[in-house]
Amino acid sequence: MRTTAHLPATAVMPGGAIAEVSATTDVNRIEAPITWKAYFMCAFAAFGGIYFGYDSGYINGVKGMAYFIHQQTGKPYLGPDPSDEEKAAFALEAWRDSLITSILSAGTFFGAIIAGDLADFIGRRLTIIAGCAVFMIGVILQTASAGLGLLVAGRLVAGFGVGFVSAIIILYMSECSPKKIRGAVVSGYQFAITIGLLLAACVDYATQNRMDTGSYRIPIAIQMLWALFLGLGIAFLPDSPRYFVKRGKLDKAANSLSRLRGQPVSSDFVQNELAEIVANHEYELQVVPQGSYWSSWANCFKGGLSKPSSNLRRTILGTSMQMMQQWTGVNFIFYFGTTFFNQLGTINNPFLISLITTLVNVCSTPISFWTIERFGRRPLLIWGALGMLICEFLVAIMGTVDGDNPATVRAMIAFICIYIFFFASTWGPGAWVVIGEIFPLPIRSRGVGLSTSSNWLWNCIITVITPYLVNEDKAYLQAKVFFLWGALCTACFVYAYLLVPETKGLSLEQVDKMLEETTPRNSSKWVPHTTFAAELGMTEKGTLAPGIVEDVERKGSVV
């Protein structure tokens, strides 16, 4: 039976407080139908992935440029017909390579954690704009650099900006997107990352042979365009309605929902969705009461490990999900691919091979727009991990047994491309989608921030240790390094099967209920059966109980 009030408008008291919000018991009426306007507004935020991807990708090519190597190390340029030994020696030292690559990840680690706080203090939208500004300062420092010190400082500062944006863009899109397309919209963020990687590879390819500072300054300076476009564009979009609910500003939440859904504030759809967000927030505050600033951080780690819906379990799931995404080893190709392909010895143009692998990444990611909503998050992560581990072990075996054979090397490159296809269409977008969906509103910004910082922490760890695994003067594993990535992808396969829940087609509030009532392996069978508004209390005329609205407005807080 459907219970929905048809009010002419939200009842708003003087000062902006809302007195009445119409609610529903129908689980199918808690969100408005999707409009193209709503799709575009949510999808635009995905543009943030371009400068994340570009900044991650340009350094791979720059580190292989002759002018940059000469400038940083003082090594003489290679002659017209260098030997394999001379080619291998003309490269950045392992410590310098590691520092230049990993320092960005160090900045993003701290930036993502700080962003979790800022997003609750000043809002999701302003945090993204602040991230763009910080990033541009870092880019200016890098562009002006002529030595190691300023380049590293610039990458560290830019890392803080990337940390802000990479965490809060996911939060913003997850909170604003309609549930039926949320997975596709957030997958668009991963697609934008791949576009950024491709653009970086193209620019590096175009400037690689320049014998002046333009060889590396041009790829660096172009990044400012992406940050400027995102920062200016998102300034015209509404902030997250769930942020306003958390702050107790329900009138602003209603206006935000109205813009995002393309419906008037008085629409039943806007009213019912607002009522469900408010009721869910009130429920979560009853489960884990508010406290001080430090206790709000402690709330991320409350509850038992055996309970899938506990905050501790969700925080571990989010942080380990991002750790596993890095464990797939895909950034080995995008950060160190040029160096690795050089080591194979039978490839004339490693820059071109890196460009091809990046192009595979770009073309494969859009597949997830459909599959993540058709088949769900959980199957994609399970089967994606299986596909990756098979490819990685095959590359490792072929390279170890017959790595000097040009035909074998071509087969290795083919399987590396297939491996990238599996990543780009499954774990690439899937990990970002899941972390944006699993946290309750009181800890969501900090949970997503912690999860994103985990991604960057492991990104940093991998970029620090990889040169020592593959450089000629160190372990020099060559293709054997893929045994490591294959073993880690095996862990990803087991992890996805045992611990990842299915969140397809559910609102963020329904995900909370699903985690309480089922286990990850049975989660795909769960269907919504009631609304939070109905559980917490509705009046006879179909509005949310006044006490709930008043309590959420009174408790509105940044912590």
Side-chain angles (χ1 to χ4, degrees), residues 256-493:
S256 176
L257 270 176
S258 174
R259 289 182 63 189
L260 287 167
R261 302 296 181 251
Q263 302 273 343
V265 173
S266 59
S267 161
D268 283 342
F269 287 114
V270 170
Q271 291 290 292
N272 294 343
E273 185 171 359
L274 177 61
E276 190 67 1
I277 297 170
V278 170
N280 171 256
H281 186 49
E282 174 68 7
Y283 171 79
E284 293 294 347
L285 291 177
Q286 292 173 4
V287 174
V288 181
Q290 279 181 293
S292 66
Y293 170 79
W294 294 111
S295 68
S296 68
W297 270 105
N299 286 343
C300 295
F301 306 98
K302 287 186 177 179
L305 280 174
S306 60
K307 188 178 181 182
S309 63
S310 72
N311 286 357
L312 174 62
R313 180 75 173 262
R314 298 187 203 209
T315 300
I316 291 175
L317 176 62
T319 53
S320 60
M321 173 72 70
Q322 291 297 309
M323 175 185 73
M324 290 288 177
Q325 191 199 56
Q326 288 298 313
W327 278 15
T328 62
V330 74
N331 279 333
F332 169 73
I333 300 298
F334 297 126
Y335 287 174
F336 301 96
T338 304
T339 303
F340 174 73
F341 294 133
N342 257 327
Q343 292 174 350
L344 294 179
T346 59
I347 295 176
N348 294 326
N349 194 337
F351 279 92
L352 182 59
I353 301 300
S354 292
L355 184 59
I356 290 171
T357 58
T358 305
L359 189 60
V360 171
N361 193 28
V362 173
C363 294
S364 303
T365 303
I367 297 172
S368 66
F369 296 176
W370 178 73
T371 56
I372 206 160
E373 298 296 359
R374 173 63 178 84
F375 301 108
R377 288 67 161 149
R378 181 178 162 82
L380 255 63
L381 295 173
I382 293 172
W383 291 105
L386 180 62
M388 284 189 291
L389 73 89
I390 291 172
C391 291
E392 287 172 324
F393 279 127
L394 286 173
V395 170
I397 293 169
M398 287 188 291
T400 303
V401 174
D402 193 27
D404 295 328
N405 186 333
T408 301
V409 171
R410 286 194 291 270
M412 289 169 61
I413 293 173
F415 276 107
I416 287 173
C417 289
I418 296 171
Y419 149 65
I420 292 172
F421 162 79
F422 276 113
F423 174 84
S425 57
T426 60
W427 273 84
W432 293 112
V433 171
V434 171
I435 68 164
E437 297 175 329
I438 58 175
F439 294 102
L441 182 55
I443 67 164
R444 185 172 293 139
S445 65
R446 291 184 172 95
V448 174
L450 286 170
S451 300
T452 307
S453 68
S454 172
N455 180 293
W456 289 109
L457 173 64
W458 283 97
N459 186 300
C460 183
I461 291 171
I462 288 172
T463 53
V464 166
I465 66 174
T466 297
Y468 296 92
L469 296 176
V470 299
N471 281 22
E472 189 174 17
D473 60 338
K474 301 300 179 183
Y476 201 44
L477 293 179
Q478 295 181 294
K480 296 184 185 72
V481 74
F482 279 89
F483 281 119
L484 172 62
W485 305 134
L488 292 175
C489 268
T490 302
C492 293
F493 173 76

Side-chain angles (χ1 to χ4, degrees), residues 63-223:
K63 290 184 304 180
M65 292 178 181
Y67 182 86
F68 185 78
I69 294 172
H70 172 72
Q71 182 197 61
Q72 293 292 324
T73 66
K75 295 178 180 179
Y77 292 112
L78 295 174
D81 190 21
S83 65
D84 291 341
E85 291 75 15
E86 289 174 327
K87 288 180 181 178
F90 188 68
L92 298 176
E93 304 95 323
W95 71 268
R96 195 186 302 267
D97 189 345
S98 174
L99 176 62
I100 292 173
T101 308
S102 64
I103 195 66
L104 177 85
S105 302
T108 52
F109 170 78
F110 292 105
I113 293 177
I114 295 169
D117 271 344
L118 275 182
D120 279 345
F121 278 96
I122 65 175
R124 285 50 164 152
R125 188 171 55 111
L126 286 179
T127 302
I128 294 169
I129 294 172
C132 292
V134 172
F135 177 77
M136 291 178 69
I137 293 172
V139 171
I140 291 171
L141 293 176
Q142 292 176 74
T143 306
S145 70
L148 183 64
L150 193 57
L151 176 67
V152 169
R155 280 181 63 78
L156 179 64
V157 173
F160 275 89
V162 174
F164 281 22
V165 175
S166 62
I168 307 307
I169 280 285
I170 296 297
L171 177 65
Y172 180 83
M173 289 189 295
S174 297
E175 290 190 336
C176 293
S177 300
K179 63 181 181 180
K180 291 182 180 178
I181 61 169
R182 187 176 59 241
V185 167
V186 178
S187 294
Y189 173 73
Q190 177 65 22
F191 180 56
I193 291 175
T194 66
I195 294 285
L197 287 166
L198 178 62
L199 290 172
C202 291
V203 175
D204 285 345
Y205 189 70
T207 66
Q208 61 175 311
N209 294 321
R210 290 180 64 115
M211 302 308 289
D212 56 28
T213 58
S215 60
Y216 68 89
R217 281 178 169 160
I218 291 172
I220 292 173
I222 285 176
Q223 298 173 96

Side-chain angles (χ1 to χ4, degrees), residues 42-69:
C42 295
F44 175 81
F47 184 86
I50 285 187
Y51 85 67
F52 168 14
Y54 187 96
D55 195 63
S56 298
Y58 88 85
I59 199 64
N60 175 32
V62 165
K63 290 184 304 180
M65 292 178 181
Y67 182 86
F68 185 78
I69 294 172

